[in-house]
Amino acid sequence: MRFIRLAISPLFLLSLVALAAGEAAACPWCPEPSITLSEQLAGSDAAVLVQWVSAQKPAEESLSTLEAFDEAAGRADSDDPRDDSGATAAPRDAAGSTTYEVVRVARGGPDTVKKGDRITLVRYRPGKPGDLSLLLGTKGTIVEWSTPVEITETGFNYLAQAPPTETPTTKRLEYFLKFLEFPDPLVANDAFQEFANASYKDLMPLIDQMPAEKIAKWVTSEDTSPTRLGFYGMLLGLCGDEDDAALLKAEILDETGEYRLGIDGVMSGYLLLTGEKGLALLEEEKLKPHYVETVRPDGSIHRENKVPFSETYSAMRAIRFMWDYGDGRISADRLRQSMRLLLDRPDLADLVIADLARWKDWSVQDRMMELYGSKEYDVPSVKRAIVRYLLVCAASAPKDAPAPPPHVVEAKKHLADLRARDPKTVQEAERFFFIE
C-alpha cells in the first residue's frame, strides 16, 4: 500500500486538531466538502456540451494591459471583463475571444440554447476543433456563461444522468458508487466528492451494494489517491470479511517512521471488522510506546519510542471514530480504557483529557492531579485541559439527584485545591468555558 509519506512534526499534527471538530457532520475520512458538478448544474439555467471552433488571440500591444488587469483583479481566467465595481477594466479585444458550438443540451430550453448554436466567450483559449467543454449558464437578460470546463462525452453523460440534488442522498449515492475510481479522472473525482459531502449514516444503507473486492484493490493500489485511502479503508470495514481484516492489519503493521495519510481510516475499518480483538492489536502496536535504548558517546542512555507520533495519533482518531460511529461494536468502557493509555503521552495529553471529559470517564481524577504540573505535563494547554475536565465532572450531577455523586464531590475538592495552588490557570480555563 502506498501512502503519502511526509516528514511531519507533532506540532504540525496538533495544528490539525481544529479540523477534527467538524468530522461528525460529513464523511469522517474525506476531504472538506466542496461543490460538485451536480450541485453546479442544479444552480444553473443552462448546461451544454460544446466543442471548440476557433479563437481570436489578443492584440500584441494589448497583452501587457491584459496581464496587468488579471494581476490586479486576481482572476486569471475570468470571462467577466469588469472590475468589482462593474466598470469595464479590460476591453474585450484585449482579452481575445473563443468560439464554441453547442453539441448537446442537458439543461435549458430552445429559447435559451439549442444544438448548433455558437457561443463566443471573452478570452482567448487555445484548442483544436472538436475539443469538448462543459458550459454552465445563468439566464438574465442574456445567458451569462461560466468558465469552460474540459470534459469528455462520457463525463457529460455522467453529469446529465446523475440524480437531481433533491433526490434522497442515499439514493443519489447508489448512482455515484458506480463511478468511484472511474477511468475518467473528472468523473472519479466528482463521484468521490459526492461521498465526501455525505454523512456517515447515508452510507449505511449501501453496505450490501459496496463492491468489497474492488475496494480492497483500491486500498492496496499504488494508483489510488492517498486522500481517498482512509475513506476506502472505512468502506472495507463496513462491507468486508475476515480476509479483508487481514489485509487491513497488514497495512497497519507496515513499519514506517513517517506520516501516512489515510492510515487512520484504515485503522477504523479494521476496528469495524474486528472489534475488541482489533483494538487490542492497536493498543499493543500503536498506543503503547516501544522504546529502544542506545548508548551515547558520553556513556548516557538514550531512549526513543519506535512508534511514530503520527501512528499513535492516527490510532487515537480511529478510537474516536468508533466512539462516534461504531454503534456499540466496541463497548464504551473498552474505548475509554484504550484512551486512558494515551495519558502516558505528554504530547497528546490535552487532547486525550478532553476526550475523557466528553466521554464522561471520571475514573482518572487522581491521575489528573498527579499529572498536573509534573515535569513533562507542565504546559498551559495540559493544565487547562485538566481544569476543564474537573469542571465538567463537577457539573455532571443529575439535576434531580438528592445528593451529589462521589465523583462530583471529588472533582469539587480537586478544583478547590487547584484554585489555591494555581489560581491564574484555573481562571484562564474557566474564562471561556461553558457547559450546555
Side-chain angles (χ1 to χ4, degrees):
M1 181 174 183
R2 286 292 182 90
F3 294 89
I4 283 184
R5 301 183 185 271
L6 303 171
I8 189 165
S9 68
L11 182 61
F12 175 80
L13 278 176
L14 289 175
S15 70
L16 300 178
V17 171
L19 298 177
E23 283 176 356
C27 160
W29 305 116
C30 297
E32 290 295 306
S34 65
I35 190 167
T36 63
L37 289 176
S38 292
E39 291 168 333
Q40 293 179 56
L41 178 63
S44 302
D45 298 313
V48 293
L49 178 68
V50 297
Q51 61 181 354
W52 190 95
V53 175
S54 62
Q56 179 67 46
K57 290 184 177 181
E60 288 294 331
E61 61 271 15
S62 301
L63 284 175
S64 58
T65 302
L66 177 61
E67 291 168 358
F69 163 71
D70 284 339
E71 183 176 352
R75 50 175 184 266
D77 195 32
S78 172
D79 289 311
D80 187 352
R82 298 171 298 169
D83 63 18
D84 293 338
S85 66
T88 299
R92 183 175 292 267
D93 59 356
S97 62
T98 306
T99 299
Y100 300 90
E101 181 179 322
V102 176
V103 177
R104 288 179 55 192
V105 178
R107 172 166 294 189
D111 60 327
T112 301
V113 65
K114 58 185 181 298
K115 181 178 179 180
D117 283 353
R118 292 203 169 187
I119 299 171
T120 298
L121 302 181
V122 175
R123 189 166 299 281
Y124 167 76
R125 291 182 176 84
K128 61 181 184 294
D131 286 350
L132 297 176
S133 295
L134 168 69
L135 285 182
L136 300 174
T138 303
K139 190 175 181 181
T141 54
I142 61 171
V143 178
E144 297 182 4
W145 297 101
S146 64
T147 300
V149 176
E150 291 185 13
I151 198 169
T152 62
E153 190 162 4
T154 299
F156 189 80
N157 289 335
Y158 154 84
L159 176 60
Q161 296 169 19
T165 53
E166 57 268 22
T167 304
T169 301
T170 297
K171 190 67 178 177
R172 296 185 75 246
L173 293 180
E174 289 181 11
Y175 176 78
F176 295 111
L177 183 63
K178 298 178 290 187
F179 295 97
L180 291 174
E181 298 305 304
F182 194 73
D184 186 326
L186 178 70
V187 172
N189 293 338
D190 188 73
F192 175 72
Q193 194 58 56
E194 289 283 352
F195 281 89
N197 293 356
S199 67
Y200 182 79
K201 66 180 179 60
D202 291 325
L203 301 177
M204 304 308 291
L206 297 175
I207 290 176
D208 291 340
Q209 300 180 46
M210 293 178 183
E213 186 175 346
K214 285 185 178 180
I215 296 171
K217 290 180 180 178
W218 297 341
V219 169
T220 56
S221 172
E222 295 183 358
D223 296 328
T224 301
S225 169
T227 59
R228 301 179 192 172
L229 288 174
F231 174 65
Y232 291 152
M234 179 192 70
L235 287 191
L236 194 56
L238 292 173
C239 67
D241 56 20
E242 290 184 2
D243 290 339
D244 297 311
L247 179 151
L248 294 175
K249 177 181 176 180
E251 303 304 333
I252 292 167
L253 297 182
D254 180 26
E255 293 188 5
T256 175
E258 299 171 332
Y259 177 63
R260 299 191 288 172
L261 184 62
I263 192 63
D264 40 15
V266 172
M267 290 178 181
S268 72
Y270 179 67
L271 292 179
L272 286 170
L273 286 172
T274 60
E276 292 192 10
K277 180 180 178 182
L279 184 59
L281 176 83
L282 285 191
E283 288 177 339
E284 189 61 37
E285 298 295 332
K286 302 299 179 181
L287 300 187
K288 295 179 180 178
H290 292 195
Y291 289 113
V292 175
E293 295 186 350
T294 56
V295 180
R296 294 191 178 102
D298 63 1
S300 61
I301 303 297
H302 172 67
R303 296 179 75 215
E304 184 176 1
N305 185 6
K306 280 182 60 180
V307 182
F309 172 90
S310 60
E311 295 286 301
T312 302
Y313 180 73
S314 294
M316 183 182 76
R317 282 169 54 86
I319 293 170
R320 284 176 173 173
F321 168 87
M322 294 303 295
W323 180 275
D324 292 329
Y325 299 100
D327 195 27
R329 181 73 175 86
I330 301 175
S331 71
D333 283 343
R334 187 65 183 84
L335 292 172
R336 292 186 184 107
Q337 178 184 333
S338 292
M339 190 63 74
R340 288 196 294 267
L341 292 175
L342 292 174
L343 288 172
D344 292 333
R345 292 290 300 258
D347 47 3
L348 284 170
D350 56 336
L351 308 180
V352 173
I353 293 166
D355 280 333
L356 292 176
R358 182 166 65 95
W359 297 358
K360 296 180 171 50
D361 184 350
W362 312 130
S363 67
V364 287
Q365 290 192 55
D366 290 342
R367 178 76 190 283
M368 297 292 180
M369 296 302 289
E370 291 174 3
L371 296 180
Y372 195 95
S374 62
K375 183 178 180 181
E376 292 183 285
Y377 298 83
D378 192 17
V379 293
S381 61
V382 174
K383 292 197 289 187
R384 286 194 296 266
I386 292 174
V387 173
R388 288 168 180 155
Y389 169 91
L390 294 172
L391 288 169
V392 174
C393 182
S396 65
K399 292 181 179 179
D400 56 352
H407 69 267
V408 171
V409 175
E410 185 181 11
K412 290 181 177 180
K413 175 185 174 182
H414 290 318
L415 282 170
D417 181 20
L418 292 182
R419 284 192 179 96
R421 288 167 50 189
D422 190 359
K424 181 180 178 181
T425 298
V426 175
Q427 289 172 5
E428 290 175 350
E430 289 177 317
R431 186 176 179 186
F432 298 109
F433 184 75
F434 303 96
I435 299 176
E436 295 182 359

